[in-house]
Amino acid sequence: MNVFMVYVRDENFCRLLPKELDRSRSDNGRIKVMGFPPLGIQTLAPVLRGHGHQVRMFDTCHPHMQVEHVVQAAEEEGPDVIALSFLSTTTYPAVKNLARQLKLGEPQIPIIVGGAFASMNSDRILGDCPDIDCVGVGEGEELLPDYLRNLSDPGSVDGLVWRHAGKVVQNVLRPLIRDLNQFPYPDRTSLPIDYIESLPLDVPAVLSLDKFCTMQTSRGCPYSCIYCDIPSLSRGKWRYRSPEHVLGEMQQLNDLGYRSIYLTDDHFLVNRKRISEVCQGIIKRRLQFQWGCEGRVDAVAVDQLPLMKKANCTYLAFGVEAGTQKVLDRLNKKQTLKQVEYAVSKAKRHGIKRVHGFFIISSPGETEKDVMASFRFAARLKLDTFGFNRLCAYRGTPLWQEYINRGIIDDERDWHKWFKCSDIDPTVLPSAAVNRVRMKGYALLFARRILCRPIRTYKLLRMFGRHMKKFDLLKLLWSPFRRRTLTRNPELPAMMIDLELAEPIRDIVSIT
Ligand code: B12
Ligand code: SF4
């Protein structure tokens, strides 16, 4: 069977590498895109080929690419099935639009969609979008071949949600795949695109021009932070590939010339023995690439940091989230400030080049004082980089459920939206206050860094400056202080729209 597989993404998470940053010697005809590769379709394509199917992959990352081009490519290809893959709520409108255009061209070709958001909202999507024929819930490695084998008998495909006689039918859920070692390695060569390691920002923040790709060595996370979808996607389980299987893929990437690899595992640091074996393997095989990963500060594997450094781990990101125990507890983070300090200082002491801290601001019950405490905490930690993002609510998270229970979200009408908590929750600081206090916090943080750690700050800026124009670097540094103009009206829950409320009613609740 012939499958046309498209990864649909948000425009703001990729862009073409500007000509002046392109220092490659030869023009090999490949497009250079600053962004993450589409690991979902890269993972599924070789699995389908192994079942005898033909697959053409398509990534909508070219900023000049219009929906018409994807439709045209699909028409040229004449596939038996179109599979659309996308990650988040934010991409759903683009997926709907693409499905509509594809159906206008070739109405008889079935369209199946999958990915994190689709898995969580399968029945709603089918109720909402007549152009999508079915949704594959969860992992696609077994589901997709099963679906292609049973195109005329969709009722027999576990994990499939489809339509029958105008009704949405939810087949039984597929069990999680137990043996993740059984599949071929992802296909990173068929797409005519080189992905450039960069930060998803509104300036071209290139981190390196080394050949770059992503890789997944484990799936899921056993924790349950209130803002995170992973526990429901992975049903609270953490599953992993064996060190040998991981090292086999790493060897392949090394031999293909990849010199920078980012592990997209939800929590890489879970198992001490596995990390040790992977790192020993990297060292023994003399693999050349540098790599980065994310994990929790309380992981037992924090004691593997010296070995990770030896194995060329140059980037480690921790979910720090907040500088007060009160907010950490509200987020159900199940970690302490002490653990954060310990993990960050240990990572730096053992020579991890870039340690990043993810912070969340505007959590329920968080005051301006608490936000400033987070910035002060960040200034005290030996972090190299940090990001302070506003808390958002996505369907499938405990926070979303809490908002349903509190009468803020109407699941029937709001399922396809995502919300900044400050726009909808009266116990969260209003947006104007968040922006004001964030600017103040950044000023404090930058001043402290320059005064207390001038050499490290200089080195960091030099690293960014290696591949960035001076103007862009200044713009990047200035961006936290930029007065934010709203590019879109905030998404609001149906109940606030009914009541014509632009802001949640905060009278009763005081949070300053
Ligand atoms: C890496 C990553 C990113 C990267 C982007 C990666 C890329 N390719 O462009 C960056 C950092 C840019 C990013 C950005 C964002 N992300 Co993100 N991201 C992830 C992360 C950690 C891993 C994704 C990954 O590589 N998975 C590995 C591959 C192999 O898995 P997969 O793509 O899911 O594919 C499997 C299945 O889904 C299925 N499948 C996939 N496609 C299809 C198609 C069909 C037809 C079928 C049947 C099956 C199927 O089979 C595959 C193999 O089993 C996930 C967490 C997660 N575990 O999913 C969050 C996650 C997807 N991101 C999330 C969010 C919210 C975002 C942002 C909106 C964040 C923000 N506020 O800006 C943006 C939006 C990006 C966008 N839509 O373009 C949320 C989504 C929640 C939601 N309900 O929407 C997640 C789940 C994280 C979380 N903690 O909740 N992200
Ligand atoms: S935020 Fe991190 S630790 Fe918390 S549930 Fe999600 S993946 Fe696990």
Side-chain angles (χ1 to χ4, degrees):
M1 222 162 258
N2 189 358
V3 184
F4 187 70
M5 204 175 228
V6 188
Y7 177 61
V8 190
R9 58 170 90 214
D10 293 12
E11 280 168 18
N12 50 341
F13 280 100
C14 64
R15 60 188 58 213
L16 280 185
L17 181 74
K19 272 263 167 301
E20 59 275 19
L21 293 181
D22 188 353
R23 287 180 213 131
S24 53
R25 271 184 229 133
S26 65
D27 184 7
N28 57 8
R30 293 171 70 82
I31 302 164
K32 292 188 173 52
V33 169
M34 297 161 53
F36 274 43
L39 191 54
I41 60 168
Q42 289 179 329
T43 299
L44 295 176
V47 175
L48 293 187
R49 289 191 194 114
H51 284 267
H53 302 293
Q54 263 177 286
V55 184
R56 171 153 176 211
M57 291 194 277
F58 214 94
D59 181 356
T60 66
C61 63
H62 196 301
H64 303 151
M65 190 191 293
Q66 308 286 321
V67 172
E68 300 89 82
H69 300 125
V70 186
V71 176
Q72 194 187 335
E75 278 172 9
E76 283 165 14
E77 198 63 27
D80 300 297
V81 168
I82 295 175
L84 305 182
S85 168
F86 68 109
L87 289 179
S88 80
T89 318
T90 50
T91 326
Y92 179 54
V95 169
K96 258 174 42 166
N97 184 31
L98 178 58
R100 189 174 320 122
Q101 303 301 328
L102 286 165
K103 276 286 179 200
L104 282 177
E106 305 279 353
Q108 76 291 354
I109 303 177
I111 297 183
I112 176 169
V113 305
F117 173 81
S119 297
M120 219 89 72
N121 298 282
S122 51
D123 53 332
R124 310 256 172 193
I125 290 176
L126 286 194
D128 176 57
C129 181
D131 304 304
I132 294 174
D133 298 290
C134 50
V135 179
V137 175
E139 297 161 307
E141 284 93 339
E142 291 175 345
L143 192 156
L144 214 44
D146 195 6
Y147 167 69
L148 295 175
R149 226 179 0 252
N150 293 290
L151 269 189
S152 53
D153 181 18
S156 68
V157 181
D158 290 356
L160 195 74
V161 180
W162 55 293
R163 268 190 222 93
H164 182 60
K167 289 222 161 59
V168 175
V169 184
Q170 283 180 281
N171 294 353
V172 294
L173 214 56
R174 264 194 125 75
L176 294 173
I177 297 171
R178 288 175 76 150
D179 176 14
L180 293 175
N181 291 337
Q182 61 182 303
F183 304 111
Y185 298 141
D187 170 6
R188 298 181 174 91
T189 52
S190 299
L191 284 166
I193 303 167
D194 288 332
Y195 296 91
I196 306 291
E197 188 184 14
S198 62
L199 295 176
L201 295 168
D202 50 6
V203 288
V206 177
L207 291 173
S208 91
L209 291 171
D210 294 337
K211 201 166 167 181
F212 165 71
C213 70
T214 50
M215 179 173 167
Q216 192 190 45
T217 78
S218 66
R219 289 183 181 169
C221 170
Y223 290 84
S224 49
C225 307
I226 62 167
Y227 52 85
C228 183
D229 264 342
I230 303 299
S232 52
L233 276 168
S234 60
R235 302 177 213 168
K237 300 263 180 344
W238 181 76
R239 290 161 304 143
Y240 59 94
R241 295 167 49 199
S242 70
E244 301 75 49
H245 198 251
V246 170
L247 284 164
E249 183 175 350
M250 287 180 162
Q251 181 75 57
Q252 185 192 67
L253 295 175
N254 183 75
D255 299 346
L256 284 167
Y258 287 95
R259 291 297 173 262
S260 180
I261 300 178
Y262 191 75
L263 307 184
T264 65
D265 299 33
D266 303 309
H267 183 7
F268 178 70
L269 301 180
V270 178
N271 185 311
R272 184 193 277 144
K273 185 162 171 278
R274 196 177 81 106
I275 295 176
S276 162
E277 284 172 23
V278 169
C279 291
Q280 306 273 17
I282 293 176
I283 298 164
K284 203 161 144 217
R285 292 167 184 238
R286 297 176 197 272
L287 303 183
Q288 302 286 306
F289 52 79
Q290 49 176 328
W291 56 281
C293 62
E294 298 174 19
R296 285 178 58 93
V297 292
D298 62 349
V300 284
V302 164
D303 67 0
Q304 296 299 307
L305 287 164
L307 194 59
M308 285 168 65
K309 147 80 183 153
K310 228 172 138 195
N312 223 0
C313 168
T314 52
Y315 174 79
L316 179 53
F318 289 121
V320 178
E321 322 306 2
T324 58
Q325 196 58 47
K326 174 188 112 182
V327 176
L328 285 179
D329 293 345
R330 180 67 174 87
L331 297 171
N332 200 26
K333 193 70 200 176
K334 297 211 168 20
Q335 72 188 26
T336 64
L337 297 175
K338 253 207 162 106
Q339 286 170 323
V340 176
E341 286 185 89
Y342 177 75
V344 173
S345 70
K346 199 145 185 198
K348 281 318 291 178
R349 193 155 9 100
H350 291 299
I352 304 290
K353 205 155 143 199
R354 203 153 59 85
V355 181
H356 181 87
F358 289 114
F359 287 81
I360 289 177
I361 51 176
S362 63
S363 298
E366 189 180 45
T367 64
E368 293 195 22
K369 249 169 122 182
D370 296 329
V371 178
M372 285 311 288
S374 289
F375 278 99
R376 251 182 256 115
F377 187 53
R380 212 167 70 223
L381 294 171
K382 293 193 167 78
L383 291 169
D384 297 290
T385 50
F386 29 71
F388 285 82
N389 292 317
R390 286 166 65 166
L391 184 66
C392 295
Y394 294 95
R395 188 160 188 264
T397 61
L399 186 59
W400 184 275
Q401 190 55 46
E402 177 188 320
Y403 285 153
I404 296 176
N405 299 345
R406 285 168 56 192
I408 293 174
I409 284 176
D410 175 349
D411 203 35
E412 289 298 318
R413 294 191 288 163
D414 294 323
W415 64 272
H416 57 287
K417 301 176 186 170
W418 60 279
F419 302 107
K420 287 187 177 162
C421 297
S422 47
D423 291 333
I424 64 166
D425 181 348
T427 72
V428 173
L429 288 168
S431 294
V434 174
N435 288 340
R436 183 169 27 83
V437 69
R438 180 158 59 176
M439 268 197 227
K440 214 167 113 188
Y442 270 124
L444 175 134
L445 187 49
F446 280 23
R448 286 259 193 105
R449 290 197 71 100
I450 291 166
L451 285 175
C452 304
R453 277 181 246 143
I455 297 172
R456 195 178 299 160
T457 309
Y458 168 74
K459 278 189 183 160
L460 194 70
L461 291 178
R462 205 178 52 180
M463 183 192 83
F464 279 126
R466 206 167 291 151
H467 307 294
M468 285 173 74
K469 289 190 284 181
K470 285 205 176 59
F471 178 72
D472 286 332
L473 195 58
L474 285 173
K475 218 164 121 187
L476 178 67
L477 290 174
W478 179 245
S479 57
F481 306 107
R482 181 171 45 105
R483 213 162 275 289
R484 277 156 213 277
T485 42
L486 277 181
T487 48
R488 59 172 194 99
N489 287 331
E491 191 87 80
L492 292 177
M495 282 183 258
M496 282 177 69
I497 298 173
D498 289 348
L499 297 168
E500 296 182 8
L501 292 175
E503 295 247 352
I505 302 167
R506 289 193 163 85
D507 292 359
I508 330 143
V509 201
S510 168
I511 45 168
T512 44

